Structure formats: C-alpha cells, structure tokens
Amino acid sequence: MYKNNILNLVLFLVVISLASVIYFSEEVSTELDRLTTLDVADIQSITIQHNSNITAIEKQADGHWQIMQPVDIAANDFRIKSVLELVSAPVHSRYPVNEINLANIGLAEPVTTIAFDELDIAFGIVNPATELRYLRMDDSIYTIEDAYYPLLSSHFGTLVSLSLLPADSRIEKLILLNQTISRDEKGFWQSNIAISADHINETVDHWQNDQAFGVHSYLQREPLGEVFIYLENQQQPVSFIITDTDPWLILARPEIGLEYHLDIAAYDNLIVAQ
C-alpha cells in the first residue's frame, strides 16, 4: 500500500510537470513578437511623410508634443500616443527583403513613411487575404494589424490639439461679434455692453478651456463673421472666421489651413456670450 501511494504521488507530480510545460509552452507560442524594443519615452521626434506632405513633430521639455511642420501648433498628445504605439506593434510575420517582390506589396516606392528619431518605417499595402499591412524596417518586411496607417495618412489636422488656444496662453482681450471684453486699469474684466461680471468671466474661461470635437483641413465657405483673441506677449491676435453654425459651429483659421468643429452650444459660449 505504501509503495502504491509513493508511485501515485510520483505519477501525479509527473502529470503536473507535463501540464506546466505544455501550459507555458502555449503561453510563449501565442505571444507575438513586437516590431521593436524601442522605449517610447526615449523618442524625441516623429516625422510622417505621406505623398508629398510632411508632418514634423517634436517632444517639448514639458513632455507635450508640438507640430513644427507644416505649421507650428500644439499637437494632440492622445493621438501622438496612439502613433507611438506603432513601435511596439505585434508582428504577425517577418520576411527578409530579398525574399519579397517589393513592387507587389507597395514597398518599392512607398507613399507613406514614418521616422521615430533615426528609426525609419515604410508602409506598404494591405494583404487582402489576411487584412494585415506590410511594413519595411531595415532589411526586413513585417505584417501587422492595420490600426496605424489611417491616422498617418490623414490630414495633419488629425494630430493637432483640440484646444482653440495654446495651453499656456493668457488672454488680454476678446473682440466678439457683439462685444469687446478687456481688462480695466485694475485688472478686472469688463465688456462694452451690459453684461454681468460672471458672464464675462465665463466667456473668457470658455475661450481658454473649450475644445473642438474635431480639427480638419480648411474648407472655404462664405464667412459669417470673425472674432479676435489677443494674447499676452503676442502682437497679432489669433483670429477665427465663423464659416458655419448649422448643425455645428465651425471656426476657421485659413492662414494655417485648419478649421475647428464644435458643438453648436459653443456659439453662445464663445461668439455672442451675453
């Protein structure tokens, strides 16, 4: 009886060991390799080229990202974080460059590339059978989920901050459609129309903090009015042309080729605040 118990114990331990080996082997085998081992915290610049358009983005000392080209404007940090995830994208397959016909997969003359500092990645087509996109990095071809290309091939406005004004700016004066808001000699906000101090402060706060739900390429429309925001230490005001109020508010900045789309409630908060 004692020997049988020992034998059963040994067999039990063997079964447990085999099960552990199988389990951990499966765990390893189902984990996809990553495109790179680059630490995104070390990345200081991103350059996206799509067709003949170049978007250059740089990390600032405060950790936020700034678009430097085609215009100098704050970037959407959330969207940039999504772009940075490309460096650790799961890889479904990898091939040496010399085993692939680059022309067949859109990588002979790629129309879209991205550089993270000195790391260059080129985008090819999507494989219609697997719905995975081909990439080239150094001397290898990879296939990954097609989650990044739509963002990189869009208008650069997709990567622009949703804020109407720079985060660290300080408003000095607002010229709206129906009033001018500025500070008096004591530093208090005042309007040239009859409006409560609370409403004046709310209007300034809206301009300082409101965000668009989308930033898009400027589309010329019939102007419906223009507002001017004077900022501290800036000689020229930031001007927004009102180009639509139905079904939402569109504030355009033609000089930088962008327009901001906001919910229609923003019209009363920003444009004709009373």
Side-chain angles (χ1 to χ4, degrees), residues 95-146:
Y95 312 94
V97 167
N98 57 14
E99 292 183 4
I100 301 290
N101 186 325
L102 298 181
N104 289 343
I105 60 173
L107 281 167
E109 296 181 0
V111 298
T112 304
T113 63
I114 186 169
F116 298 98
D117 294 335
E118 302 303 318
L119 175 68
D120 295 320
I121 301 172
F123 285 76
I125 65 170
V126 170
N127 184 319
T130 63
E131 297 185 347
L132 300 174
R133 187 170 290 276
Y134 291 102
L135 303 182
R136 177 175 180 174
M137 189 173 65
D138 296 326
D139 294 326
S140 295
I141 304 297
Y142 303 84
T143 60
I144 66 167
E145 298 289 339
D146 191 28

Side-chain angles (χ1 to χ4, degrees), residues 54-205:
I54 296 176
T55 303
I57 311 163
E58 293 184 2
K59 192 174 186 179
Q60 304 300 292
D62 60 5
H64 295 292
W65 290 86
Q66 185 81 7
I67 295 175
M68 312 304 294
Q69 185 182 344
V71 297
D72 186 356
I73 194 167
N76 184 325
D77 286 336
F78 179 79
R79 292 276 174 84
I80 298 302
K81 181 181 178 182
S82 297
V83 172
L84 289 167
E85 290 175 355
L86 171 62
V87 301
S88 58
V91 172
H92 289 260
S93 56
R94 176 182 178 180
Y95 312 94
V97 167
N98 57 14
E99 292 183 4
I100 301 290
N101 186 325
L102 298 181
N104 289 343
I105 60 173
L107 281 167
E109 296 181 0
V111 298
T112 304
T113 63
I114 186 169
F116 298 98
D117 294 335
E118 302 303 318
L119 175 68
D120 295 320
I121 301 172
F123 285 76
I125 65 170
V126 170
N127 184 319
T130 63
E131 297 185 347
L132 300 174
R133 187 170 290 276
Y134 291 102
L135 303 182
R136 177 175 180 174
M137 189 173 65
D138 296 326
D139 294 326
S140 295
I141 304 297
Y142 303 84
T143 60
I144 66 167
E145 298 289 339
D146 191 28
Y148 308 94
Y149 186 79
L151 187 58
L152 304 182
S153 60
S154 299
H155 183 266
F156 81 93
T158 307
L159 300 175
V160 170
S161 170
L162 298 174
S163 298
L164 298 174
L165 302 174
D168 58 351
S169 61
R170 184 173 184 269
I171 296 174
E172 287 191 339
K173 182 169 67 173
L174 298 173
I175 300 179
L176 308 180
L177 292 188
N178 64 333
Q179 64 179 307
T180 296
I181 296 174
S182 58
R183 293 184 185 275
D184 61 20
E185 58 276 4
K186 295 183 179 179
F188 296 109
W189 289 112
Q190 61 178 1
S191 173
N192 63 341
I193 67 171
I195 182 175
S196 72
D198 286 342
H199 283 164
I200 293 174
N201 288 326
E202 288 173 2
T203 301
V204 174
D205 186 65

